[in-house]
Amino acid sequence: MQLLLQDYSGRPTPLYFAERLSNQLGGARIFLKREDLNHTGAHKINNTIGQGLLAKKMGKKKSSRKPEPDSTVLRQRRFAPCWVWNARFSWEKKIFADKKLNVYRMRMLGAEVVPVTSGSRTLKDAGNETMRYWVANVEDTFMLFGTAAGPHPYPYMVREFQKVIGEETREQALTNMGRLPDTVIACVGGGSNAIGMFHPFIDDSQVTLMGVEAGGRGIESGAHAATLSQGTPGVFQGSYSYVLQDIHGQVKEAHSISAGLDYPGVGPEHAFLRDSGRVRYCSITDQEALDALYLLSRTEGIIPALESSHAVAQAVKLAPECSSEHIMVVCLSGRGDKDVEAIAGYEGGGLQ
């Protein structure tokens, strides 16, 4: 696995000092953990390699998964040819038309892409459909679950495969700065990049850990995906955690400008970290995330994914309140080129 992470994915990823962004905001020195520089453009490849190796050891010949609606969907398929897999994806029909390029790329790589027609046709329904297919074909099929949620042992596996993010960050901070960061920030949907970043810092009580959820159109609007802020304990897709649900236990539809954060559940370890007080969780609205995306793009020449833009937006809020000695690390979990069509649509236009 170490060799694949190094030679196939391109690890270790840099810890980059965003000097122009820091100077413009004043206050804290902001560093970016560049997971967007992984092969295929996000941290998801770490977990894909890990679960892929496990599937190979188990002798599975097919894989099934609910793809995150971004370029991460390509990772499994790009990795799959190494072992002559047949990859099948359950795709949200609701956003099928908005992600034509990614669907086309997946089919170029030989994947079968199946639009989901059940329920509200969103991310949770794609997950449900993936699990149904897996259970019906479990003898030769491996379900590759991308986030730190779902049935055991997926939350544990995903954390273990993603903790390389935090381990590298810790080592790079000690080597390059001579100390640990004061604040570490990551976005949270299901929570894979955040749990991977946070886990190696859990015992470092001097390091403030912050998870940023999707506040959508505002918490008060009800159109959001702030599960840890507004959810209640319940069971969703095989794990007991916080869930956006009504008084009857029916799962509510989540909303975010970022399709990758548009998820009504969250990994159970995040629920524990929230309740224990070790990690602070907050939310950022669609517009705040978009503003942060443009700010980072125009100061550093880096277009972040909409998911990552939520974490950047929280750094933008906090940095001016900190001293110049304060070191802040933001996990840039993905790159933003896959979100260009969604951004153009949000702004009321299209790609001209």
Coordinates of all heavy atoms in Angstrom, one line a residue, residues 72-143:
T72 N -14.1 12.3 -7.8 CA -13.7 11.2 -7.0 C -14.3 9.9 -7.5 O -13.8 8.8 -7.2 CB -14.1 11.3 -5.5 OG1 -15.5 11.4 -5.4 CG2 -13.5 12.6 -4.9
V73 N -15.4 10.0 -8.2 CA -16.0 8.8 -8.7 C -15.0 8.0 -9.7 O -15.2 6.8 -9.9 CB -17.3 9.1 -9.5 CG1 -18.3 9.8 -8.6 CG2 -17.0 9.9 -10.7
L74 N -14.1 8.7 -10.2 CA -13.2 8.1 -11.2 C -12.1 7.3 -10.5 O -11.5 6.5 -11.1 CB -12.5 9.2 -12.0 CG -13.5 10.1 -12.8 CD1 -12.8 11.2 -13.4 CD2 -14.3 9.3 -13.8
R75 N -11.9 7.5 -9.2 CA -10.8 6.9 -8.6 C -10.8 5.4 -8.6 O -9.9 4.7 -8.9 CB -10.6 7.4 -7.2 CG -10.0 8.8 -7.3 CD -10.0 9.5 -5.9 NE -9.8 10.9 -6.2 CZ -10.8 11.7 -6.3 NH1 -12.0 11.4 -5.9 NH2 -10.6 13.0 -6.6
Q76 N -12.0 4.9 -8.2 CA -12.1 3.4 -8.1 C -11.9 2.8 -9.5 O -11.3 1.8 -9.7 CB -13.5 3.0 -7.5 CG -13.6 1.5 -7.4 CD -15.0 1.1 -7.1 OE1 -15.9 1.9 -7.0 NE2 -15.2 -0.2 -6.9
R77 N -12.6 3.5 -10.5 CA -12.5 2.9 -11.8 C -11.1 3.0 -12.4 O -10.6 2.1 -13.1 CB -13.5 3.7 -12.7 CG -13.6 3.1 -14.1 CD -14.0 1.6 -14.0 NE -13.3 0.8 -15.1 CZ -13.3 -0.5 -15.1 NH1 -13.9 -1.2 -14.2 NH2 -12.7 -1.1 -16.1
R78 N -10.3 4.1 -12.1 CA -9.0 4.1 -12.6 C -8.1 3.1 -11.9 O -7.1 2.6 -12.5 CB -8.4 5.5 -12.3 CG -8.9 6.5 -13.3 CD -8.2 7.8 -13.2 NE -8.7 8.7 -14.2 CZ -8.4 10.0 -14.3 NH1 -7.5 10.5 -13.5 NH2 -8.9 10.8 -15.2
F79 N -8.4 2.8 -10.6 CA -7.6 1.8 -9.9 C -8.1 0.4 -10.3 O -7.3 -0.5 -10.3 CB -7.9 2.1 -8.4 CG -6.8 1.5 -7.6 CD1 -5.4 1.6 -7.9 CD2 -7.1 0.8 -6.4 CE1 -4.4 1.1 -7.1 CE2 -6.1 0.2 -5.6 CZ -4.8 0.4 -6.0
A80 N -9.3 0.3 -10.6 CA -9.9 -1.0 -10.9 C -9.1 -1.8 -12.0 O -8.9 -3.0 -11.9 CB -11.4 -0.9 -11.3
P81 N -8.7 -1.2 -13.1 CA -8.0 -1.9 -14.2 C -6.8 -2.7 -13.7 O -6.4 -3.6 -14.4 CB -7.7 -0.8 -15.2 CG -8.7 0.2 -15.0 CD -8.9 0.2 -13.5
C82 N -6.2 -2.3 -12.6 CA -5.1 -3.0 -12.1 C -5.4 -4.4 -11.8 O -4.5 -5.3 -11.8 CB -4.6 -2.3 -10.8 SG -4.1 -0.6 -11.0
W83 N -6.7 -4.7 -11.5 CA -7.1 -6.1 -11.1 C -8.2 -6.6 -12.0 O -8.8 -7.6 -11.7 CB -7.5 -6.1 -9.7 CG -6.4 -5.6 -8.8 CD1 -5.1 -5.9 -8.9 CD2 -6.5 -4.6 -7.8 NE1 -4.4 -5.2 -7.9 CE2 -5.2 -4.4 -7.2 CE3 -7.6 -3.9 -7.2 CZ2 -5.0 -3.5 -6.2 CZ3 -7.3 -3.1 -6.2 CH2 -6.0 -2.9 -5.7
V84 N -8.5 -5.9 -13.1 CA -9.5 -6.4 -14.0 C -10.9 -6.5 -13.3 O -11.5 -7.5 -13.3 CB -9.2 -7.7 -14.7 CG1 -10.0 -7.9 -16.0 CG2 -7.7 -7.7 -15.1
W85 N -11.2 -5.5 -12.6 CA -12.5 -5.4 -12.0 C -13.6 -5.0 -12.9 O -13.4 -4.4 -13.9 CB -12.5 -4.4 -10.9 CG -12.1 -4.9 -9.5 CD1 -11.7 -6.1 -9.2 CD2 -11.9 -4.1 -8.4 NE1 -11.4 -6.2 -7.9 CE2 -11.5 -4.9 -7.4 CE3 -12.2 -2.7 -8.1 CZ2 -11.3 -4.5 -6.1 CZ3 -11.9 -2.3 -6.8 CH2 -11.5 -3.2 -5.8
N86 N -14.8 -5.3 -12.6 CA -16.0 -4.7 -13.2 C -16.6 -3.7 -12.1 O -16.9 -4.1 -11.0 CB -17.1 -5.8 -13.5 CG -16.6 -6.7 -14.6 OD1 -16.0 -6.2 -15.6 ND2 -16.8 -7.9 -14.5
A87 N -16.6 -2.5 -12.5 CA -17.0 -1.5 -11.5 C -18.4 -1.0 -11.9 O -18.7 -0.7 -13.0 CB -16.1 -0.3 -11.5
R88 N -19.3 -0.9 -10.9 CA -20.7 -0.5 -11.1 C -21.0 0.6 -10.1 O -20.8 0.5 -8.9 CB -21.7 -1.7 -10.9 CG -23.1 -1.4 -11.1 CD -24.0 -2.6 -10.7 NE -25.4 -2.5 -11.1 CZ -26.3 -1.9 -10.3 NH1 -25.9 -1.3 -9.1 NH2 -27.5 -1.8 -10.7
F89 N -21.5 1.7 -10.6 CA -21.8 2.9 -9.8 C -23.3 3.2 -9.8 O -23.9 3.2 -10.9 CB -21.1 4.1 -10.3 CG -19.6 4.0 -10.2 CD1 -18.9 3.5 -11.3 CD2 -18.9 4.3 -9.1 CE1 -17.5 3.4 -11.3 CE2 -17.5 4.2 -9.0 CZ -16.8 3.7 -10.1
S90 N -23.8 3.4 -8.6 CA -25.2 3.9 -8.5 C -25.1 5.4 -8.4 O -24.6 6.0 -7.5 CB -25.9 3.4 -7.3 OG -26.0 2.0 -7.4
W91 N -25.7 6.1 -9.4 CA -25.5 7.5 -9.5 C -26.8 8.2 -9.3 O -27.9 7.8 -9.7 CB -25.0 7.9 -10.9 CG -24.6 9.3 -11.0 CD1 -25.4 10.4 -11.3 CD2 -23.3 9.8 -10.8 NE1 -24.6 11.5 -11.3 CE2 -23.4 11.2 -11.0 CE3 -22.1 9.3 -10.5 CZ2 -22.2 12.1 -10.9 CZ3 -21.0 10.1 -10.4 CH2 -21.1 11.5 -10.6
E92 N -26.8 9.4 -8.6 CA -28.0 10.1 -8.3 C -28.6 10.7 -9.6 O -27.9 11.5 -10.2 CB -27.7 11.3 -7.4 CG -27.0 10.9 -6.1 CD -26.1 11.9 -5.6 OE1 -26.6 13.0 -5.1 OE2 -24.9 11.7 -5.7
K93 N -29.8 10.3 -9.9 CA -30.4 10.7 -11.1 C -30.6 12.2 -11.1 O -30.5 12.9 -12.1 CB -31.7 10.0 -11.4 CG -32.3 10.3 -12.8 CD -33.5 9.4 -13.0 CE -34.0 9.7 -14.4 NZ -35.2 8.9 -14.7
K94 N -30.8 12.8 -9.9 CA -31.1 14.2 -9.7 C -30.0 15.1 -10.3 O -30.2 16.1 -10.8 CB -31.3 14.5 -8.2 CG -31.7 15.9 -7.9 CD -32.0 16.0 -6.4 CE -32.4 17.5 -6.1 NZ -32.6 17.6 -4.6
I95 N -28.8 14.6 -10.2 CA -27.7 15.4 -10.6 C -27.0 14.8 -11.8 O -25.9 15.3 -12.3 CB -26.6 15.6 -9.5 CG1 -26.0 14.3 -9.1 CG2 -27.2 16.3 -8.3 CD1 -24.8 14.4 -8.2
F96 N -27.6 13.8 -12.4 CA -27.0 13.1 -13.5 C -26.6 14.1 -14.7 O -25.5 14.1 -15.2 CB -27.9 12.0 -14.0 CG -27.3 10.9 -14.7 CD1 -26.9 9.8 -13.9 CD2 -27.0 10.9 -16.0 CE1 -26.3 8.7 -14.5 CE2 -26.4 9.8 -16.6 CZ -26.0 8.7 -15.8
A97 N -27.6 14.9 -15.0 CA -27.4 15.9 -16.1 C -26.3 16.9 -15.8 O -25.7 17.4 -16.7 CB -28.7 16.5 -16.4
D98 N -26.1 17.2 -14.5 CA -25.2 18.3 -14.1 C -23.7 17.8 -14.1 O -22.8 18.6 -14.0 CB -25.5 18.8 -12.7 CG -26.8 19.5 -12.7 OD1 -27.2 20.0 -13.8 OD2 -27.4 19.6 -11.7
K99 N -23.5 16.5 -14.2 CA -22.2 15.9 -14.1 C -21.9 15.1 -15.4 O -21.3 14.0 -15.3 CB -22.1 15.1 -12.9 CG -22.3 15.8 -11.6 CD -21.1 16.8 -11.3 CE -21.4 17.6 -10.0 NZ -20.3 18.6 -9.8
K100 N -22.3 15.6 -16.5 CA -22.1 14.8 -17.8 C -20.7 14.5 -18.0 O -20.3 13.4 -18.5 CB -22.7 15.7 -18.9 CG -24.2 15.8 -18.9 CD -24.6 16.7 -20.1 CE -26.1 17.0 -20.0 NZ -26.5 17.9 -21.1
L101 N -19.8 15.4 -17.7 CA -18.3 15.2 -18.0 C -17.8 14.0 -17.2 O -17.1 13.1 -17.7 CB -17.5 16.4 -17.7 CG -16.0 16.3 -17.9 CD1 -15.7 15.9 -19.4 CD2 -15.3 17.6 -17.6
N102 N -18.2 14.0 -15.9 CA -17.7 12.9 -15.0 C -18.3 11.6 -15.4 O -17.6 10.6 -15.4 CB -18.0 13.2 -13.5 CG -16.9 14.2 -13.0 OD1 -15.9 14.4 -13.5 ND2 -17.3 14.8 -11.9
V103 N -19.6 11.6 -15.8 CA -20.2 10.4 -16.2 C -19.5 9.8 -17.5 O -19.2 8.6 -17.6 CB -21.7 10.6 -16.4 CG1 -22.3 9.3 -17.1 CG2 -22.4 10.9 -15.1
Y104 N -19.2 10.7 -18.4 CA -18.6 10.4 -19.6 C -17.2 9.8 -19.4 O -16.8 8.8 -19.9 CB -18.5 11.6 -20.5 CG -18.2 11.3 -22.0 CD1 -19.2 10.9 -22.8 CD2 -16.9 11.3 -22.5 CE1 -19.0 10.6 -24.2 CE2 -16.6 11.0 -23.8 CZ -17.7 10.6 -24.6 OH -17.4 10.3 -25.9
R105 N -16.5 10.4 -18.4 CA -15.1 9.9 -18.1 C -15.2 8.6 -17.5 O -14.3 7.7 -17.7 CB -14.4 10.9 -17.2 CG -14.1 12.3 -17.8 CD -13.9 13.3 -16.8 NE -12.6 13.2 -16.1 CZ -12.3 13.9 -15.0 NH1 -13.1 14.8 -14.5 NH2 -11.2 13.7 -14.4
M106 N -16.2 8.3 -16.6 CA -16.3 7.0 -16.0 C -16.6 6.0 -17.0 O -16.0 4.9 -17.0 CB -17.5 7.1 -15.0 CG -17.2 7.9 -13.8 SD -18.7 8.3 -12.8 CE -19.1 6.7 -12.2
R107 N -17.4 6.3 -18.0 CA -17.7 5.3 -19.0 C -16.5 5.1 -19.9 O -16.3 3.9 -20.4 CB -19.0 5.7 -19.8 CG -20.3 5.6 -19.0 CD -21.5 6.1 -19.7 NE -22.7 5.7 -19.0 CZ -23.9 6.3 -19.0 NH1 -24.0 7.4 -19.8 NH2 -24.9 5.9 -18.3
M108 N -15.7 6.1 -20.1 CA -14.5 5.9 -20.9 C -13.6 4.9 -20.3 O -12.9 4.1 -20.9 CB -13.7 7.2 -21.0 CG -14.3 8.2 -22.0 SD -13.4 9.8 -22.0 CE -11.9 9.2 -22.8
L109 N -13.6 4.9 -18.9 CA -12.8 4.0 -18.2 C -13.4 2.6 -18.0 O -12.8 1.7 -17.4 CB -12.5 4.6 -16.8 CG -11.6 5.8 -16.8 CD1 -11.7 6.6 -15.5 CD2 -10.1 5.4 -17.1
G110 N -14.6 2.4 -18.6 CA -15.2 1.1 -18.6 C -16.2 0.8 -17.5 O -16.6 -0.3 -17.4
A111 N -16.6 1.8 -16.7 CA -17.5 1.6 -15.6 C -19.0 1.5 -16.1 O -19.3 2.1 -17.2 CB -17.4 2.7 -14.6
E112 N -19.8 0.8 -15.4 CA -21.2 0.8 -15.6 C -21.8 1.9 -14.7 O -21.7 1.8 -13.5 CB -21.9 -0.5 -15.4 CG -23.4 -0.6 -15.5 CD -24.0 -1.9 -15.0 OE1 -23.2 -2.7 -14.5 OE2 -25.2 -2.0 -15.2
V113 N -22.5 2.9 -15.2 CA -23.1 3.9 -14.4 C -24.6 3.8 -14.4 O -25.2 3.9 -15.5 CB -22.6 5.3 -14.9 CG1 -23.1 6.4 -13.9 CG2 -21.1 5.4 -15.1
V114 N -25.2 3.6 -13.3 CA -26.6 3.3 -13.2 C -27.3 4.5 -12.5 O -27.1 4.7 -11.3 CB -26.9 2.0 -12.4 CG1 -28.4 1.7 -12.4 CG2 -26.1 0.9 -13.0
P115 N -28.2 5.2 -13.2 CA -28.9 6.3 -12.5 C -29.9 5.7 -11.5 O -30.6 4.7 -11.7 CB -29.7 7.0 -13.6 CG -29.8 6.0 -14.7 CD -28.6 5.1 -14.6
V116 N -30.0 6.4 -10.3 CA -30.9 5.9 -9.3 C -32.3 6.6 -9.5 O -32.4 7.8 -9.7 CB -30.4 6.3 -7.9 CG1 -31.4 6.0 -6.8 CG2 -29.1 5.5 -7.6
T117 N -33.3 5.8 -9.4 CA -34.7 6.3 -9.7 C -35.6 6.2 -8.4 O -36.7 6.6 -8.4 CB -35.4 5.6 -10.8 OG1 -35.4 4.2 -10.5 CG2 -34.6 5.8 -12.1
S118 N -35.0 5.6 -7.3 CA -35.8 5.4 -6.1 C -35.8 6.6 -5.2 O -34.8 7.4 -5.3 CB -35.3 4.2 -5.4 OG -34.0 4.4 -5.0
G119 N -36.8 6.8 -4.3 CA -36.8 7.8 -3.3 C -36.7 9.2 -3.9 O -37.3 9.5 -4.9
S120 N -35.9 10.0 -3.2 CA -35.7 11.4 -3.7 C -34.6 11.5 -4.7 O -34.2 12.6 -5.1 CB -35.4 12.4 -2.5 OG -34.4 11.9 -1.7
R121 N -34.0 10.4 -5.0 CA -32.9 10.3 -6.1 C -31.7 11.2 -5.7 O -31.1 11.8 -6.6 CB -33.5 10.7 -7.4 CG -34.5 9.7 -7.9 CD -35.1 10.1 -9.3 NE -36.1 11.1 -9.2 CZ -36.8 11.5 -10.2 NH1 -36.5 11.0 -11.4 NH2 -37.8 12.3 -10.1
T122 N -31.4 11.2 -4.4 CA -30.2 12.0 -4.0 C -29.1 11.0 -3.5 O -29.2 9.8 -3.7 CB -30.6 12.9 -2.8 OG1 -31.1 12.1 -1.7 CG2 -31.7 13.9 -3.3
L123 N -28.1 11.6 -2.8 CA -26.9 10.9 -2.4 C -27.3 9.7 -1.5 O -26.8 8.6 -1.6 CB -26.0 11.8 -1.7 CG -24.5 11.4 -1.5 CD1 -23.8 11.1 -2.8 CD2 -23.7 12.4 -0.7
K124 N -28.2 9.9 -0.6 CA -28.6 8.8 0.3 C -29.3 7.7 -0.4 O -29.1 6.5 -0.1 CB -29.5 9.3 1.5 CG -30.9 9.7 1.1 CD -31.7 10.1 2.3 CE -33.1 10.6 1.9 NZ -33.9 9.6 1.2
D125 N -30.1 8.0 -1.5 CA -30.7 7.0 -2.2 C -29.7 6.2 -3.1 O -29.9 5.0 -3.3 CB -31.8 7.6 -3.1 CG -32.8 8.4 -2.3 OD1 -33.5 7.7 -1.5 OD2 -32.9 9.6 -2.4
A126 N -28.7 6.9 -3.6 CA -27.6 6.2 -4.3 C -26.9 5.2 -3.3 O -26.6 4.1 -3.7 CB -26.6 7.2 -4.8
G127 N -26.7 5.6 -2.1 CA -26.1 4.8 -1.1 C -27.0 3.6 -0.8 O -26.5 2.4 -0.7
N128 N -28.3 3.8 -0.6 CA -29.2 2.7 -0.4 C -29.2 1.7 -1.5 O -29.1 0.5 -1.3 CB -30.6 3.2 -0.2 CG -30.8 4.0 1.1 OD1 -30.0 3.9 2.0 ND2 -31.8 4.9 1.1
E129 N -29.2 2.2 -2.8 CA -29.2 1.3 -3.9 C -27.9 0.5 -4.0 O -27.9 -0.7 -4.4 CB -29.4 2.2 -5.2 CG -29.6 1.4 -6.5 CD -30.9 0.6 -6.4 OE1 -31.8 1.0 -5.8 OE2 -30.9 -0.5 -7.0
T130 N -26.8 1.2 -3.7 CA -25.5 0.5 -3.7 C -25.5 -0.7 -2.7 O -25.0 -1.8 -3.0 CB -24.3 1.4 -3.3 OG1 -24.3 2.5 -4.3 CG2 -23.0 0.7 -3.3
M131 N -26.0 -0.4 -1.5 CA -26.1 -1.5 -0.5 C -27.0 -2.6 -0.9 O -26.7 -3.8 -0.7 CB -26.5 -0.9 0.8 CG -25.5 -0.1 1.5 SD -26.0 0.5 3.2 CE -24.5 1.3 3.7
R132 N -28.1 -2.3 -1.6 CA -29.0 -3.4 -2.0 C -28.3 -4.3 -3.1 O -28.4 -5.5 -3.0 CB -30.3 -2.8 -2.7 CG -31.2 -2.1 -1.7 CD -32.5 -1.7 -2.4 NE -33.3 -0.9 -1.5 CZ -33.4 0.4 -1.7 NH1 -32.8 1.1 -2.6 NH2 -34.2 1.2 -0.8
Y133 N -27.6 -3.7 -4.0 CA -26.9 -4.4 -5.0 C -25.8 -5.3 -4.4 O -25.6 -6.5 -4.8 CB -26.3 -3.5 -6.1 CG -25.6 -4.2 -7.2 CD1 -26.2 -4.6 -8.3 CD2 -24.2 -4.5 -7.1 CE1 -25.6 -5.3 -9.3 CE2 -23.5 -5.2 -8.1 CZ -24.3 -5.6 -9.2 OH -23.6 -6.3 -10.2
W134 N -25.1 -4.7 -3.4 CA -24.0 -5.4 -2.8 C -24.5 -6.7 -2.1 O -24.0 -7.8 -2.2 CB -23.3 -4.5 -1.8 CG -22.3 -5.1 -0.9 CD1 -21.3 -6.0 -1.3 CD2 -22.1 -5.0 0.5 NE1 -20.5 -6.3 -0.2 CE2 -21.0 -5.7 0.9 CE3 -22.8 -4.2 1.5 CZ2 -20.6 -5.8 2.2 CZ3 -22.4 -4.3 2.8 CH2 -21.3 -5.1 3.1
V135 N -25.6 -6.5 -1.3 CA -26.1 -7.6 -0.5 C -26.6 -8.7 -1.4 O -26.5 -9.9 -1.2 CB -27.3 -7.1 0.4 CG1 -28.0 -8.3 1.0 CG2 -26.7 -6.2 1.5
A136 N -27.2 -8.3 -2.6 CA -27.7 -9.3 -3.5 C -26.6 -10.0 -4.3 O -26.9 -11.1 -4.9 CB -28.7 -8.6 -4.5
N137 N -25.4 -9.5 -4.3 CA -24.3 -10.0 -5.1 C -23.1 -10.2 -4.3 O -21.9 -10.1 -4.8 CB -24.0 -9.1 -6.3 CG -25.2 -9.0 -7.3 OD1 -25.4 -9.9 -8.1 ND2 -26.0 -8.0 -7.0
V138 N -23.2 -10.5 -3.0 CA -22.1 -10.4 -2.1 C -21.0 -11.4 -2.3 O -19.9 -11.3 -2.0 CB -22.6 -10.5 -0.6 CG1 -23.1 -11.9 -0.3 CG2 -21.6 -10.0 0.4
E139 N -21.4 -12.5 -3.0 CA -20.4 -13.6 -3.2 C -19.2 -13.1 -4.1 O -18.0 -13.6 -3.8 CB -21.0 -14.8 -3.9 CG -22.0 -15.5 -3.0 CD -22.5 -16.8 -3.6 OE1 -22.1 -17.1 -4.8 OE2 -23.2 -17.6 -2.9
D140 N -19.4 -12.2 -5.0 CA -18.3 -11.8 -5.9 C -18.1 -10.3 -5.9 O -17.3 -9.8 -6.7 CB -18.4 -12.3 -7.3 CG -19.7 -11.8 -8.0 OD1 -20.5 -11.1 -7.3 OD2 -19.8 -12.0 -9.2
T141 N -18.9 -9.6 -5.1 CA -18.8 -8.1 -5.2 C -18.4 -7.5 -3.8 O -18.8 -7.9 -2.8 CB -20.2 -7.6 -5.5 OG1 -20.6 -8.1 -6.8 CG2 -20.2 -6.1 -5.6
F142 N -17.5 -6.5 -4.0 CA -17.0 -5.7 -2.8 C -17.7 -4.4 -2.8 O -17.6 -3.7 -3.9 CB -15.5 -5.6 -2.8 CG -14.9 -4.9 -1.6 CD1 -14.5 -5.6 -0.5 CD2 -14.8 -3.5 -1.6 CE1 -14.0 -5.0 0.6 CE2 -14.3 -2.9 -0.5 CZ -13.8 -3.6 0.6
M143 N -18.3 -3.9 -1.7 CA -18.8 -2.6 -1.6 C -17.7 -1.6 -1.2 O -17.2 -1.8 -0.1 CB -20.0 -2.5 -0.7 CG -20.6 -1.1 -0.7 SD -22.1 -0.9 0.4 CE -21.3 -0.8 2.0

